[in-house]
Amino acid sequence: GKVLVVPTDGSHWLSMREALRDLHARGHQVVVLTLEVNMYIKEENFFTLTTYAISWTQDEFDRLLLGHTQSFFETEHLLMKFSRRMAIMNNMSLIIHRSCVELLHNEALIRHLHATSFDVVLTDPFHLCAAVLAKYLSIPAVFFLRNIPCDLDFKGTQCPNPSSYIPRLLTTNSDHMTFLQRVKNMLYPLALSYLCHAVSAPYASLASELFQREVSVVDLVSHASVWLFRGDFVMDYPRPIMPNMVFIGGINCANGKPLSQEFEAYINASGEHGIVVFSLGSMVSEIPEKKAMAIADALGKIPQTVLWRYTGTRPSNLANNTILVKWLPQNDLLGHPMTRAFITHAGSHGVYESICNGVPMVMMPLFGDQMDNAKRMETKGAGVTLNVLEMTSEDLENALKAVINDKSYKENIMRLSSLHKDRPVEPLDLAVFWVEFVMRHKGAPHLRPAAHDLTWYQYHSLDVIGFLLAVVLTVAFITFKCCAYGYRKCLGKKGRVKKAHKSKTH
Amino acid sequence: GKVLVVPTDGSHWLSMREALRDLHARGHQVVVLTLEVNMYIKEENFFTLTTYAISWTQDEFDRLLLGHTQSFFETEHLLMKFSRRMAIMNNMSLIIHRSCVELLHNEALIRHLHATSFDVVLTDPFHLCAAVLAKYLSIPAVFFLRNIPCDLDFKGTQCPNPSSYIPRLLTTNSDHMTFLQRVKNMLYPLALSYLCHAVSAPYASLASELFQREVSVVDLVSHASVWLFRGDFVMDYPRPIMPNMVFIGGINCANGKPLSQEFEAYINASGEHGIVVFSLGSMVSEIPEKKAMAIADALGKIPQTVLWRYTGTRPSNLANNTILVKWLPQNDLLGHPMTRAFITHAGSHGVYESICNGVPMVMMPLFGDQMDNAKRMETKGAGVTLNVLEMTSEDLENALKAVINDKSYKENIMRLSSLHKDRPVEPLDLAVFWVEFVMRHKGAPHLRPAAHDLTWYQYHSLDVIGFLLAVVLTVAFITFKCCAYGYRKCLGKKGRVKKAHKSKTH
């Protein structure tokens, strides 16, 4: 079949890429459509890259990204930080929306996409543009995602989402909440709804313009036949799901490769203490010097060799046991038996590699869902969370020693690992199966719940409840009236008898 | 591992049996615990049969069953029929409850079960006794079921169950309902709740007595780690599910075998017209003569050869094209390319064999969920439903000719068949995998939603909503009071100014 892929850049792309490799190996023709200017999506031999240009240079892109990543380490006032983040996000979403408008109005490209008659669109709906494109080309869509903000994943699948035990994004609640935490869990989405509307509404109007009729954001995301979630119920709390939701968490652990000599040498040289892997992910290239030195200081205090993936300036106090590398084979290193701990920003890829390989974590969440991921792993006893801004060198040192020496962390992560890897089908095979399923059957209409065809008050049966209440009240009212009438009748009779009696006795 | 199986008799047992065969083949020790008096659960070489006696003879059992099956064909008044059915059901549930009390108070047997230290209890919770036993032995449990009345499957899994688009058992609604159908869908469970309570409450009190503390029916069914449902979303309407629900619909289609010579001969003799398979299931042994003759008359009017599984008296007007057999290899016959149609009572096993083999149906639902199954298949265009009491010979003849000659039925059932059989894992393998999973990990606690630990008003966030409402009302009230106070203050001032002005001008 023919697969049109509209990916989201950054780490989102890394795991989707593995699925494309497999699809290509199974004989499918894969075309990746993306912005000319991007971070990771480069030409490879298992897909055809189609890019579209917009008036935005690679410098502008890098500067925007750098601004975003630098903001992680600023220790300014919360409100200042929040408004700066909002400004960066607003800037980013304007640029992404503009690129979407240019894509959808690029008639030559759209004609070409139509002409190629793709069988399926595989996309990460984190940016809604791809959902508009899939609906516009009226090709069945498969969504490939960790989650989308504003609960659009729940709305798009008509999946119940009780706020009493399902922690909302960014709340860092667990599934067992106190009363006030449940209040926070209910208020958070309300507070974010303005932001959600601001970011998503432009795509609804863009789609309404294209389709010449009212199209809502929920319409856009409801177009997907199957949702492939990079999650599972070892990492996530169990919650209601829908039949067209498939869980492929840990897909990025597939395709392990042997370590290169360089890294084998580091491990062999680490002696009986083994190594610690340290990476804050693809988005962090520079840490403020003072913070970097505090980190370097703590790393120097443990007997393990630390492999630190860091592209920023080398801290002057770097100890001998700490080796800086520009890149490291993270999953393969974590798979080595001599790896004692993993210092991570708790992105979902890193956390899954930790689970797959059973390595306890010290987590320094930076942005997005990383705080929530860290909270989950902490609740399950698989690691310790530090606030990267407030933590001291000592905090990091203690956290590392705890995670390495306190056996409970290793036991917990090993238990999670054995639960996670005990499955009937591997995540990568499951993802490929469902993309092929949607191609074979031109979608999955039998998995689409009738809830999509109900209004919100019909869905919650408010009209039925109202009707039954009206019936009950009417019946009660009539019964009351009859009783009252009957009562008066009886009373009236007794009254006349009494009067007659009185007149006799006077 | 060691598997304790507490099955439900009748067709429920037939598919569970296949799973036990596989578990035994994979080296597990399987012990089946059942009443001495039963229909199908006999000694076989892949499990050890342990029976327990109660003061109930095989005759009493057969007479009770016969009374139940005969009631299908009585054409008495609805209320009469309902009360007779209730009496039979009440009788049955009393006997089953009594056998449960005797089982749980059979100290020698319970001691033996404890001593054997089973790794898992595999049971069909249709009768709640096994759920009490599993909890009592505190062994992880796997439920193997089609469904249980009174929505206990939804309550036991804490699975949302919106009545706006999920048809309730026995309503024969589809997932697209009119307003009045939605009213019916909401009222039905309320009407049945008395019956539900009457049947299930004795098990709750039995468990409370055993555990010396309050145990509810929902507690009993919540004990299951994994629920294996004999359903899927080709036969059932898509609805919310929970992570510990696994769908193994079509498990009974596995292990096809070549036809015996006898049946091969019937098919070869049927010429180009092929055959029709007719069976009203294991529960129907006798059809009233008049009805049987009407059926035989209709069967004689089609060119196909009809293989009719029937153990009752041979209708005198049986045509030459109709062959009565005591038993037939239903699944294997339906799998033969010359099979044109299947006349069935729409039990879930028969419907799945029809789906697996792509054979359109004429459905005569008799009791339980059969009406709902028939409605689903009819909505999906895979067959025609007849009311077995009211149908005439002509109705049956027309239905058969429609289903055989109108291509749309074949196309629809073939489409359902291709969707159903396109899955990453076969249902039998999936069932065995999850029984083994629960044995390996001593349950599946990571799949247990936190909803189990919430009261009903916490689950629906009524306390949070109440609190927020109170806050909003308080704020509104205070604001109103302030404004009113401010307003009076301003008004008061103006009033004094006016007065002063007036006194000046007079």
Side-chain angles (χ1 to χ4, degrees):
Chain A
K2 288 181 189 163
V3 186
L4 173 62
V5 181
V6 188
T8 291
D9 207 340
S11 63
H12 296 241
W13 162 250
L14 300 179
S15 38
M16 184 183 264
R17 200 167 143 262
E18 296 308 315
L20 305 191
R21 196 197 303 272
D22 261 40
L23 282 167
H24 178 262
R26 294 170 63 89
H28 300 292
Q29 188 195 328
V30 180
V31 173
V32 173
L33 175 69
T34 188
L35 276 168
E36 212 168 54
V37 163
N38 66 67
M39 272 205 298
Y40 288 120
I41 310 167
K42 308 303 172 202
E43 193 81 51
E44 299 199 58
N45 60 9
F46 50 88
F47 59 80
T48 315
L49 188 64
T50 305
T51 58
Y52 56 97
I54 59 159
S55 45
W56 189 25
T57 63
Q58 186 76 41
D59 282 355
E60 274 172 330
F61 177 84
D62 294 342
R63 239 179 299 118
L64 187 77
L65 214 61
L66 197 66
H68 176 47
T69 53
Q70 264 169 354
S71 73
F72 302 154
F73 292 95
E74 250 92 46
T75 48
E76 58 203 328
H77 185 271
L78 197 71
L79 274 180
M80 273 294 295
K81 187 162 198 174
F82 179 76
S83 67
R84 253 161 62 80
R85 277 268 176 93
M86 285 309 108
I88 292 172
M89 270 188 68
N90 191 38
N91 212 341
M92 261 184 168
S93 56
L94 279 174
I95 290 167
I96 292 165
H97 177 257
R98 208 179 70 208
S99 70
C100 187
V101 173
E102 288 179 26
L103 166 65
L104 291 168
H105 288 91
N106 182 334
E107 277 167 19
L109 179 58
I110 297 293
R111 248 197 325 274
H112 166 66
L113 295 178
H114 262 303
T116 319
S117 58
F118 287 99
D119 299 297
V120 67
V121 175
L122 176 63
T123 181
D124 179 332
F126 192 77
H127 299 312
L128 288 168
C129 190
V132 180
L133 181 65
K135 197 171 170 69
Y136 188 41
L137 298 173
S138 47
I139 304 172
V142 172
F143 284 173
F144 185 105
L145 68 157
R146 168 69 187 150
N147 47 36
I148 357 176
C150 316
D151 290 336
L152 281 178
D153 37 7
F154 283 95
K155 290 171 188 157
T157 52
Q158 295 288 335
C159 182
N161 189 18
S163 81
S164 48
Y165 73 98
I166 301 171
R168 294 308 189 245
L169 207 58
L170 309 178
T171 58
T172 67
N173 281 336
S174 89
D175 59 346
H176 287 84
M177 299 179 233
T178 63
F179 174 76
L180 284 180
Q181 285 172 332
R182 282 191 290 123
V183 172
K184 172 184 170 185
N185 211 45
M186 188 170 263
L187 289 179
Y188 240 66
L190 297 180
L192 289 177
S193 56
Y194 167 74
L195 203 69
C196 290
H197 181 74
V199 171
S200 55
Y203 293 94
S205 32
L206 179 57
S208 304
E209 183 215 312
L210 284 175
F211 287 90
Q212 296 297 305
R213 61 176 172 81
E214 179 76 24
V215 178
S216 71
V217 176
V218 175
D219 290 340
L220 290 176
V221 288
S222 303
H223 176 68
S225 302
V226 168
W227 296 62
L228 302 176
F229 283 93
R230 281 192 294 109
D232 75 340
F233 297 103
V234 164
M235 176 157 168
D236 301 313
Y237 301 116
R239 57 170 169 80
I241 53 180
M242 295 303 281
N244 64 341
M245 288 176 165
V246 179
F247 293 87
I248 55 167
I251 190 170
N252 54 304
C253 298
N255 305 339
K257 290 178 282 304
L259 287 173
S260 65
Q261 271 173 351
E262 175 200 358
F263 288 102
E264 275 294 352
Y266 290 140
I267 292 179
N268 296 338
S270 69
E272 44 135 359
H273 290 293
I275 67 162
V276 168
V277 178
F278 178 12
S279 166
L280 290 181
S282 47
M283 297 285 277
V284 172
S285 47
E286 191 65 51
I287 302 176
E289 200 198 352
K290 203 172 147 240
K291 182 60 63 182
M293 292 185 67
I295 290 173
D297 176 53
L299 300 179
K301 299 243 176 78
I302 56 169
Q304 284 73 20
T305 300
V306 181
L307 297 178
W308 181 5
R309 175 198 174 176
Y310 183 53
T311 49
T313 12
R314 182 192 175 85
S316 52
N317 63 336
L318 205 66
N320 295 336
N321 73 327
T322 307
I323 301 159
L324 284 196
V325 285
K326 296 287 176 209
W327 176 84
L328 46 74
Q330 184 174 292
N331 188 42
D332 301 328
L333 277 172
L334 290 173
H336 195 286
M338 292 299 284
T339 302
R340 293 284 180 276
F342 178 35
I343 309 172
T344 171
H345 60 303
S348 57
H349 284 99
V351 168
Y352 264 114
E353 285 170 14
S354 214
I355 291 175
C356 292
N357 297 296
V359 178
M361 292 171 272
V362 171
M363 298 169 281
M364 303 177 194
L366 300 172
F367 66 98
D369 62 354
Q370 292 159 15
M371 285 73 161
D372 296 305
N373 297 341
K375 175 70 180 180
R376 281 196 182 84
M377 286 301 107
E378 201 175 59
T379 330
K380 302 182 186 219
V384 168
T385 306
L386 296 175
N387 180 322
V388 73
L389 298 180
E390 292 155 11
M391 74 172 185
T392 62
S393 165
E394 218 190 316
D395 294 331
L396 177 54
E397 182 193 338
N398 295 337
L400 268 171
K401 285 180 175 167
V403 149
I404 292 168
N405 303 323
D406 177 345
K407 268 200 279 111
S408 70
Y409 291 103
K410 182 72 175 175
E411 280 158 13
N412 287 328
I413 192 78
M414 289 307 286
R415 186 175 45 77
L416 294 181
S417 189
S418 90
L419 280 172
H420 170 69
K421 292 192 290 191
D422 196 349
R423 55 211 164 188
V425 188
E426 290 306 303
L428 189 53
D429 300 332
L430 205 54
V432 169
F433 171 82
W434 281 103
V435 172
E436 290 183 332
F437 183 99
V438 168
M439 288 200 274
R440 275 192 294 267
H441 301 280
K442 309 210 181 337
H446 67 301
L447 297 179
R448 187 180 175 81
H452 284 288
D453 310 325
L454 296 174
T455 62
W456 65 272
Y457 62 83
Q458 286 174 329
Y459 178 88
H460 294 288
S461 295
L462 299 184
D463 52 354
V464 170
I465 293 167
F467 169 74
L468 291 177
L469 262 182
V471 165
V472 165
L473 291 178
T474 313
V475 166
F477 178 73
I478 292 168
T479 318
F480 171 73
K481 280 290 176 191
C482 293
C483 294
Y485 176 77
Y487 186 70
R488 271 201 312 281
K489 273 287 161 204
C490 299
L491 213 71
K493 240 184 227 144
K494 260 192 215 144
R496 274 196 301 282
V497 162
K498 255 188 201 156
K499 258 185 208 148
H501 186 68
K502 250 183 199 165
S503 56
K504 272 181 201 153
T505 50
H506 283 300
Chain B
K2 289 181 189 162
V3 185
L4 173 62
V5 181
V6 188
T8 290
D9 208 340
S11 63
H12 296 241
W13 162 250
L14 301 178
S15 38
M16 184 184 263
R17 200 167 141 261
E18 297 308 313
L20 306 192
R21 197 196 304 272
D22 263 38
L23 282 167
H24 177 264
R26 294 169 63 88
H28 300 291
Q29 189 195 330
V30 180
V31 173
V32 174
L33 176 68
T34 188
L35 276 168
E36 212 169 54
V37 163
N38 67 64
M39 271 203 299
Y40 289 121
I41 310 168
K42 309 304 175 200
E43 193 83 50
E44 299 198 61
N45 59 10
F46 50 89
F47 59 80
T48 314
L49 188 64
T50 305
T51 57
Y52 56 97
I54 61 159
S55 45
W56 190 25
T57 63
Q58 186 74 43
D59 286 353
E60 275 172 332
F61 177 85
D62 295 341
R63 239 178 299 121
L64 188 78
L65 215 62
L66 197 68
H68 177 50
T69 53
Q70 266 169 350
S71 72
F72 303 153
F73 290 95
E74 250 94 50
T75 48
E76 57 202 328
H77 186 271
L78 198 72
L79 275 182
M80 271 296 292
K81 186 164 200 172
F82 179 75
S83 68
R84 252 160 62 80
R85 277 266 176 92
M86 284 310 109
I88 291 172
M89 270 188 66
N90 191 40
N91 212 341
M92 264 184 167
S93 55
L94 280 176
I95 289 166
I96 292 164
H97 177 256
R98 208 179 68 207
S99 69
C100 188
V101 173
E102 288 179 25
L103 165 65
L104 291 168
H105 288 91
N106 182 334
E107 277 167 20
L109 179 59
I110 296 293
R111 246 196 329 273
H112 166 65
L113 295 178
H114 263 304
T116 317
S117 58
F118 288 98
D119 300 297
V120 68
V121 175
L122 176 64
T123 182
D124 180 332
F126 191 79
H127 299 311
L128 289 169
C129 191
V132 181
L133 181 65
K135 197 172 170 69
Y136 188 40
L137 298 172
S138 50
I139 304 171
V142 172
F143 285 172
F144 185 106
L145 67 157
R146 168 69 188 153
N147 47 36
I148 357 176
C150 315
D151 291 337
L152 282 178
D153 37 10
F154 284 93
K155 290 172 189 156
T157 51
Q158 295 288 334
C159 182
N161 189 18
S163 82
S164 48
Y165 72 98
I166 299 171
R168 292 310 188 245
L169 206 59
L170 308 179
T171 59
T172 67
N173 282 336
S174 88
D175 59 346
H176 286 84
M177 299 178 234
T178 61
F179 174 75
L180 284 181
Q181 284 172 331
R182 281 190 292 122
V183 172
K184 174 184 170 186
N185 211 45
M186 188 171 264
L187 290 179
Y188 240 67
L190 297 180
L192 288 176
S193 55
Y194 167 74
L195 204 70
C196 290
H197 181 74
V199 171
S200 56
Y203 293 94
S205 32
L206 180 57
S208 305
E209 181 214 314
L210 284 175
F211 289 92
Q212 295 298 306
R213 62 176 172 80
E214 179 76 23
V215 178
S216 71
V217 176
V218 176
D219 291 339
L220 290 178
V221 288
S222 304
H223 175 69
S225 303
V226 168
W227 296 60
L228 301 176
F229 283 93
R230 282 194 291 109
D232 75 340
F233 298 102
V234 166
M235 176 157 166
D236 302 312
Y237 301 115
R239 58 169 167 82
I241 53 180
M242 296 303 282
N244 63 341
M245 289 177 166
V246 178
F247 293 86
I248 56 167
I251 191 170
N252 54 303
C253 298
N255 305 339
K257 291 178 280 305
L259 288 173
S260 66
Q261 271 173 351
E262 175 198 357
F263 288 103
E264 277 293 353
Y266 290 140
I267 293 177
N268 298 338
S270 69
E272 43 134 3
H273 291 294
I275 65 163
V276 167
V277 179
F278 177 13
S279 166
L280 291 182
S282 48
M283 297 286 278
V284 172
S285 46
E286 191 65 52
I287 301 174
E289 201 198 350
K290 200 170 151 242
K291 183 58 65 181
M293 291 186 68
I295 291 173
D297 177 50
L299 300 180
K301 299 235 174 86
I302 57 169
Q304 284 74 19
T305 298
V306 182
L307 297 178
W308 180 4
R309 177 196 172 177
Y310 183 52
T311 50
T313 11
R314 183 191 174 86
S316 52
N317 62 337
L318 204 68
N320 295 335
N321 72 328
T322 307
I323 301 161
L324 284 197
V325 284
K326 296 285 178 210
W327 176 85
L328 45 75
Q330 185 174 291
N331 187 43
D332 302 326
L333 277 173
L334 290 173
H336 195 286
M338 291 299 285
T339 301
R340 294 284 180 273
F342 178 35
I343 309 172
T344 170
H345 60 302
S348 57
H349 284 98
V351 169
Y352 265 114
E353 285 168 14
S354 214
I355 292 174
C356 292
N357 299 296
V359 178
M361 294 171 272
V362 171
M363 300 169 279
M364 304 177 192
L366 300 173
F367 66 97
D369 62 354
Q370 293 158 17
M371 285 70 162
D372 298 303
N373 298 340
K375 175 70 182 182
R376 282 194 181 85
M377 286 301 104
E378 203 176 57
T379 332
K380 302 181 187 216
V384 169
T385 307
L386 296 175
N387 179 322
V388 74
L389 298 180
E390 292 154 11
M391 74 173 186
T392 63
S393 166
E394 219 189 317
D395 295 332
L396 176 54
E397 182 193 339
N398 295 337
L400 268 171
K401 285 180 176 165
V403 147
I404 292 168
N405 303 323
D406 176 345
K407 267 200 278 103
S408 71
Y409 291 103
K410 181 72 176 177
E411 279 158 15
N412 288 329
I413 191 79
M414 289 307 284
R415 184 175 45 79
L416 294 182
S417 190
S418 89
L419 281 172
H420 171 70
K421 292 193 288 191
D422 196 349
R423 55 212 163 189
V425 188
E426 289 307 303
L428 191 53
D429 300 332
L430 205 53
V432 169
F433 171 83
W434 281 102
V435 172
E436 290 184 332
F437 183 99
V438 168
M439 287 201 274
R440 275 192 294 265
H441 302 282
K442 309 213 178 338
H446 67 303
L447 297 179
R448 187 180 176 79
H452 283 288
D453 311 325
L454 296 174
T455 62
W456 64 274
Y457 62 83
Q458 287 175 329
Y459 178 88
H460 294 287
S461 295
L462 298 184
D463 51 354
V464 169
I465 293 168
F467 169 74
L468 292 176
L469 262 182
V471 166
V472 166
L473 290 177
T474 313
V475 166
F477 179 74
I478 292 165
T479 318
F480 171 75
K481 280 289 175 190
C482 295
C483 293
Y485 176 78
Y487 186 71
R488 270 200 314 278
K489 272 287 161 206
C490 300
L491 212 70
K493 240 185 226 142
K494 262 192 214 139
R496 275 198 300 283
V497 162
K498 256 189 201 154
K499 259 186 210 146
H501 186 66
K502 250 185 200 164
S503 56
K504 272 182 201 152
T505 51
H506 281 298

